[in-house]
Amino acid sequence: MKTLIKTIALGSLLTCSAAAMADQSDYKLMVIEAQTAPQPLEQSFNSCALNVKSKNYAEAEQICTKAIALLQDADAPKFKVRQLTSFALSNRGVARLKAKNETAGLADLYEAKQLSNNDMISHNLTRAKEELAL
């Protein structure tokens, strides 16, 4: 499996990387680089992506939801919180789609897209619509 790592600079407090799970035809998951965010946020955010990749979709959904809740209470600039929230929503959306919960997965991806017009989120939304023949 090819892996594409792309760093997204979000400032000195929070930095996030986007890792492709496979090639351009697969979904992309976002992770927080080590030691760039408070430990609970980094752990839940990255554990979500790891569980999706490991096909533990129910666990991934719960952990992504926890990451989203932690972001709501984050003491960081609003644009950074908004962008990280969009990444967590995208990750959760992928987990939900993989678990065959298409409606909730699409809702997460659309919400993520509204929060951040990021190429990887757009890719995930386009990929989901193609997969579901929408």
Side-chain angles (χ1 to χ4, degrees):
M1 228 187 259
K2 295 178 184 178
T3 302
L4 170 68
I5 304 293
K6 183 177 179 182
T7 302
I8 300 168
L10 295 177
S12 60
L13 177 63
L14 300 173
T15 303
C16 188
S17 292
M21 285 178 53
D23 58 28
Q24 290 299 320
S25 65
D26 208 346
Y27 293 104
K28 301 184 184 312
L29 299 172
M30 284 57 102
V31 297
I32 295 176
E33 291 181 349
Q35 301 175 359
T36 59
Q39 181 64 26
L41 175 58
E42 180 185 322
Q43 184 176 14
S44 63
F45 203 101
N46 294 347
S47 181
C48 168
L50 179 62
N51 276 283
V52 172
K53 192 168 183 174
S54 300
K55 300 181 181 180
N56 300 322
Y57 304 126
E59 182 76 12
E61 181 179 350
Q62 290 177 343
I63 295 169
C64 288
T65 300
K66 180 181 177 186
I68 293 164
L70 288 170
L71 283 162
Q72 290 175 348
D73 297 329
D75 185 24
K78 288 185 182 191
F79 78 93
K80 291 179 185 179
V81 171
R82 190 171 47 251
Q83 190 163 35
L84 286 174
T85 300
S86 72
F87 294 160
L89 282 164
S90 180
N91 287 353
R92 186 175 72 180
V94 171
R96 287 175 165 177
L97 287 167
K98 294 287 190 175
K100 305 296 183 209
N101 187 354
E102 291 91 357
T103 302
L106 280 173
D108 280 347
L109 291 174
Y110 276 111
E111 186 177 351
K113 177 78 171 152
Q114 286 181 334
L115 291 173
S116 175
N117 192 20
N118 177 278
D119 288 342
M120 285 169 285
I121 293 169
S122 296
H123 169 85
N124 286 346
L125 181 57
T126 300
R127 173 78 176 94
K129 290 193 288 188
E130 288 171 355
E131 186 175 279
L132 300 172
L134 298 177

